[in-house]
């Protein structure tokens, strides 16, 4: 069983489109995260939810909107995709903030053409 | 804001040698963690060291933490080709509303 699963693994889309990335964890963790990894492998936190409540909302364009229907799921919706949105997006979860390591999904490689 | 800075950016060694990677950070922390990322994969948690600990071991991994210098090191002993990956340090401020902040990573290549 995959602990943190993301779909899709690859996403190629045209500028201006709207797309979603889904994430699910079966670890019973309370906190979930979205990170963006750029072409230089730099990881930047985007959002975090704790038990369906948004607790971190970093400076990202309003075109990015996270949604957490329950504590096991955290989806990322992106409107009006731009070339600069091309990156690898990672979902992660942890038992609680400040405790223990994070478990990461395998990533979604988004390419905007 | 970026917290951790790894050094070196890239490291190439032979199998059997030891690999040492360093990480420096800027603000106070609750704990510091090291992660490995194989090419095209997600990050895997390796080890966590708390701010009141100075050294921790896990198998062939040894992590040290010097909070006075705001630095940490990861030592991989007797490296193997399978250790080839990028290694990241990440700091946890332990405050509500914060998440792990990652450094830029060290790319390790182990050749046989």
């Amino acid at each position: 069983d995959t602990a943190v699963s993301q779909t899709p693994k690859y996403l190629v889309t045209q500028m201006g489109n709207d797309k979603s990335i889904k994430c699910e964890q079966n670890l019973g963790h309370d906190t979930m995260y979205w990170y963006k990894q750029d072409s230089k492998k730099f990881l930047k936190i985007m959002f975090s939810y704790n038990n369906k409540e948004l607790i971190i909302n970093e400076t990202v364009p309003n075109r990015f909107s996270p949604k957490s229907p329950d504590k096991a799921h955290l989806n990322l919706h992106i409107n009006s995709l731009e070339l600069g949105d091309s990156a690898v997006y990672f979902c992660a979860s942890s038992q609680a903030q400040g405790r223990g390591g994070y478990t990461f999904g395998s990533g979604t490689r988004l390419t905007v053409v | 804001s970026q917290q951790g800075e790894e050094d070196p950016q890239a490291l190439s060694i032979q199998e059997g040698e030891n690999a040492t990677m360093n990480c420096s950070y800027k603000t106070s922390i609750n704990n510091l963690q090291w992660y490995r990322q194989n090419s095209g994969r997600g990050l895997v948690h390796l080890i966590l060291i708390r701010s009141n600990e100075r050294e921790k071991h896990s198998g062939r991994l040894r992590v040290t933490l010097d909070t006075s210098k705001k630095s940490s090191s990861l030592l991989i002993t007797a490296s193997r080709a399978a250790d080839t990956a990028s290694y990241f340090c990440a700091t946890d401020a332990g405050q509500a509303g914060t998440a792990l902040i990652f450094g830029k990573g060290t790319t390790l290549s182990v050749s046989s």
Side-chain angles (χ1 to χ4, degrees):
Chain A
D1 273 350
T2 305
V4 179
S5 59
Q6 291 179 232
T7 55
K9 190 169 174 62
Y10 300 96
L11 189 50
V12 181
T13 187
Q14 290 189 325
M15 275 196 311
N17 282 351
D18 302 338
K19 290 293 177 186
S20 292
I21 306 172
K22 295 186 176 181
C23 179
E24 176 182 2
Q25 55 98 0
N26 63 5
L27 298 166
H29 287 170
D30 287 331
T31 311
M32 296 183 73
Y33 311 84
W34 277 110
Y35 278 85
K36 178 181 179 180
Q37 187 173 44
D38 63 22
S39 58
K40 295 183 180 178
K41 294 189 179 179
F42 177 54
L43 279 147
K44 187 179 183 336
I45 181 70
M46 299 175 69
F47 302 104
S48 176
Y49 271 74
N50 184 63
N51 217 352
K52 300 195 298 176
E53 181 186 347
L54 180 65
I55 53 172
I56 296 175
N57 186 358
E58 288 292 311
T59 309
V60 298
N62 290 338
R63 300 180 293 102
F64 289 79
S65 55
K67 282 194 173 50
S68 181
D70 56 60
K71 78 171 196 176
H73 295 83
L74 179 60
N75 304 322
L76 183 65
H77 189 75
I78 316 170
N79 289 327
S80 304
L81 278 154
E82 300 177 358
L83 293 176
D85 297 332
S86 295
V88 182
Y89 292 84
F90 285 101
C91 176
S93 71
S94 68
Q95 193 167 11
Q97 277 192 294
R99 284 197 218 164
Y102 291 12
T103 303
F104 279 80
S106 57
T108 295
R109 181 174 292 277
L110 172 65
T111 304
V112 183
V113 297
Chain B
S1 63
Q2 187 178 330
Q3 171 77 302
E5 290 274 354
E6 283 92 338
D7 168 53
Q9 286 189 344
L11 182 60
S12 292
I13 59 174
Q14 299 281 328
E15 262 192 329
E17 293 180 339
N18 296 341
T20 300
M21 288 159 262
N22 302 298
C23 168
S24 60
Y25 57 92
K26 295 175 185 170
T27 60
S28 61
I29 60 171
N30 182 50
N31 65 69
L32 184 144
Q33 304 176 27
W34 285 90
Y35 287 79
R36 182 187 75 232
Q37 184 180 31
N38 289 86
S39 181
R41 311 291 284 273
L43 284 84
V44 175
H45 179 254
L46 295 176
I47 197 164
L48 179 153
I49 186 165
R50 301 197 184 282
S51 59
N52 61 353
E53 297 176 312
R54 292 297 166 257
E55 188 170 312
K56 206 159 181 182
H57 297 254
S58 176
R60 294 184 294 114
L61 305 181
R62 173 179 167 252
V63 168
T64 62
L65 178 65
D66 187 334
T67 52
S68 67
K69 294 182 180 177
K70 291 188 168 58
S71 68
S72 173
S73 67
L74 171 67
L75 168 68
I76 304 174
T77 59
S79 62
R80 305 166 182 167
D83 294 328
T84 295
S86 293
Y87 292 82
F88 295 87
C89 71
T91 52
D92 187 344
Q95 298 170 358
T98 64
L100 286 184
I101 299 177
F102 285 82
K104 292 180 180 177
T106 292
T107 299
L108 173 66
S109 297
V110 182
S111 51
S112 52

